[in-house]
Amino acid sequence: MNKDVELQRVLSEVRKQMTYTVLSYPERDPNGFKWGDQKYNGNCSGKVPLGFVDKLGAKSVCELFAGSGTLSDVCRDYKIPYCGIDLNPNPVRDNIVAMDILDLEQELPDAFYEADMCFSHPPYPGLNHVKYAGVAWQDTVGGLLEKDIQNMPFEKGMQKVNISTMRAYTALQPGAYMVILVGEIRANGKYFSMFNNLALPGEVFQTYVKLQHNTWSGRQNYSEKTNPRALTGHEMIVVIRKPSGYEIAYVLPKKYVNDIRDSINSATWKDVVMSYAREEKQFTNQQICSDLKDHAKAKSNNNIEAKLRQTCARLAEAGLLNHIAPATWAMAA
Ligand SMILES: C[S@@+](CC[C@H](N)C(=O)[O-])C[C@H]1O[C@@H](n2cnc3c(N)ncnc32)[C@H](O)[C@@H]1O
């Protein structure tokens, strides 16, 4: 098999894939090539970053979380300069530097400042069956288990992923792209979307869905009849672009928790009364009034008694409440 011909074939394959925002690479490596290590947990096909290198016209590439050397191998075969970093103290390729991205005493390699594309495929924090420090590679220097983002609970891990994104972004030159590949995680009966929790500096250029093939996730004891969730069959990719040199504008998702009775801007009186009725099942005008009167929503109204009477009457007309006795209401069955 002629390797140059095979590489051209793969380039045609990724160019076709990159026409749309849904990417699917059932075959991980080109015939006769081994890009990275398919046994390395959380590895991805080199065709994924190659599609972006080619489409965005990158002439020099850097990478956070270089893992098994997938993108290093791709860049070698496509003859473009590459530099990556990974926590593994014994990097798997010469152009990967051992570095804890969370340690601000350690500077990113110079190549990050010259690259025009950075690829980042961070660990999936909270996904317990995947391990890097001490399992995928040996911790020959000590203390790396706690620094491995994979070992952190989801929220803490996402904060660290976001710090790493900001670090790479601030190093990149204006006009450079950053491509971030993240997983959607199901663990301990819950769903955690890395994508929803990403800090996104700069301009969001495009988002992609990457289909997964042969995944472990969810197939364990999955029952299609009883499980209301579908098996996860995709990962998410976001491409951001750095528009200028000094500005560090970013979007950082933040979780807000509020009591609906204190919510002035996003809950109507119908929402508040229905929430109260669902909790209490049956109540009088006096009870609902005394429960709500000290909350912010009630304080924003100068005749709370009349407002509640009116809302309950409308809900009874609509059949959502029953008017069961004078000034007394119950949830409709
Ligand atoms: C999802 S894997 C990347 C796999 C890679 N794309 C491949 O195809 O082989 C995430 C990597 O993040 C590394 N990592 C975890 N914590 C880190 C940290 N604090 N600093 C740098 N790298 C870290 C792990 O060693 C692991 O190799």
Side-chain angles (χ1 to χ4, degrees):
M1 188 241 329
N2 181 320
K3 284 197 154 190
D4 288 337
V5 172
E6 175 62 0
L7 285 178
Q8 282 311 312
R9 185 194 66 77
V10 170
L11 209 44
S12 309
E13 179 192 356
V14 301
R15 281 184 181 154
K16 197 165 171 216
Q17 286 290 320
M18 294 297 293
T19 320
Y20 294 102
T21 53
V22 178
L23 308 178
S24 174
Y25 296 111
E27 285 156 8
R28 187 184 184 280
D29 288 330
N31 292 324
F33 287 78
K34 185 174 176 289
W35 286 342
D37 183 354
Q38 65 176 344
K39 295 204 191 80
Y40 193 82
N41 266 321
N43 76 90
C44 72
S45 164
K47 295 174 185 174
V48 175
L50 173 61
F52 291 97
V53 168
D54 182 61
K55 183 120 184 141
L56 302 174
K59 303 277 182 297
S60 171
V61 170
C62 62
E63 181 176 35
L64 297 175
F65 312 115
S68 65
T70 305
L71 185 51
S72 167
D73 294 349
V74 169
C75 291
R76 177 201 59 215
D77 290 340
Y78 277 88
K79 302 183 177 47
I80 55 170
Y82 165 92
C83 175
I85 66 114
D86 197 280
L87 188 61
N88 182 353
N90 300 294
V92 296
R93 302 285 183 271
D94 288 346
N95 51 11
I96 298 176
V97 176
M99 172 178 172
D100 173 12
I101 187 64
L102 306 176
D103 180 359
L104 287 176
E105 297 294 312
Q106 295 181 51
E107 295 281 5
L108 281 165
D110 297 343
F112 275 67
Y113 294 79
E114 293 168 342
D116 41 29
M117 184 189 124
C118 177
F119 188 67
S120 172
H121 181 197
Y124 298 22
L127 195 58
N128 300 332
H129 69 275
V130 173
K131 303 267 174 233
Y132 294 113
V135 177
W137 41 260
Q138 290 316 306
D139 178 3
T140 50
V141 296
L144 296 182
L145 252 74
E146 303 87 75
K147 296 175 178 166
D148 183 348
I149 297 171
Q150 184 70 45
N151 293 336
M152 300 177 185
F154 181 76
E155 281 192 12
K156 180 175 177 197
M158 283 312 300
Q159 282 170 9
K160 305 299 184 193
V161 168
N162 288 338
I163 288 171
S164 63
T165 301
M166 296 306 294
R167 278 204 75 180
Y169 180 83
T170 46
L172 289 173
Q173 54 180 325
Y177 294 94
M178 193 162 175
V179 180
I180 309 172
L181 163 63
V182 288
E184 303 286 281
I185 301 170
R186 272 193 28 219
N188 307 323
K190 293 205 167 144
Y191 192 78
F192 301 93
S193 169
M194 291 183 76
F195 185 65
N196 271 354
N197 287 276
L198 278 183
L200 294 177
E203 170 200 346
V204 174
F205 194 72
Q206 187 129 48
T207 56
Y208 291 77
V209 171
K210 169 188 164 288
L211 300 188
Q212 281 179 294
H213 301 278
N214 307 316
T215 53
W216 186 94
S217 111
R219 260 186 266 119
Q220 315 303 308
N221 306 321
Y222 180 76
S223 157
E224 60 185 53
K225 284 211 180 95
T226 55
N227 198 325
R229 288 198 178 103
L231 290 169
T232 305
H234 73 286
E235 295 177 302
M236 295 297 298
I237 297 174
V238 56
V239 182
I240 53 186
R241 189 170 169 275
K242 183 167 179 172
S244 68
Y246 280 127
E247 181 186 287
I248 316 178
Y250 58 97
V251 174
L252 184 59
K254 184 176 186 313
K255 189 170 176 180
Y256 296 89
V257 181
N258 197 4
D259 187 311
I260 192 166
R261 294 165 295 186
D262 295 317
S263 172
I264 294 171
N265 295 326
S266 58
T268 63
W269 281 107
K270 183 176 179 180
D271 301 329
V272 175
V273 171
M274 282 304 289
S275 299
Y276 179 81
R278 287 189 193 109
E279 289 291 314
E280 302 301 325
K281 314 289 186 239
Q282 185 177 320
F283 58 93
T284 63
N285 282 350
Q286 202 190 0
Q287 283 168 330
I288 188 169
C289 199
S290 79
D291 183 288
L292 297 188
K293 72 176 175 9
D294 293 330
H295 284 278
K297 178 90 181 157
K299 286 184 180 159
S300 71
N301 189 292
N302 48 24
N303 193 346
I304 175 70
E305 287 88 359
K307 187 72 200 166
L308 289 171
R309 272 199 310 277
Q310 178 200 49
T311 308
C312 289
R314 283 197 183 142
L315 289 169
E317 266 168 43
L320 291 168
L321 293 183
N322 287 333
H323 191 189
I324 55 171
T328 308
W329 314 88
M331 273 299 286

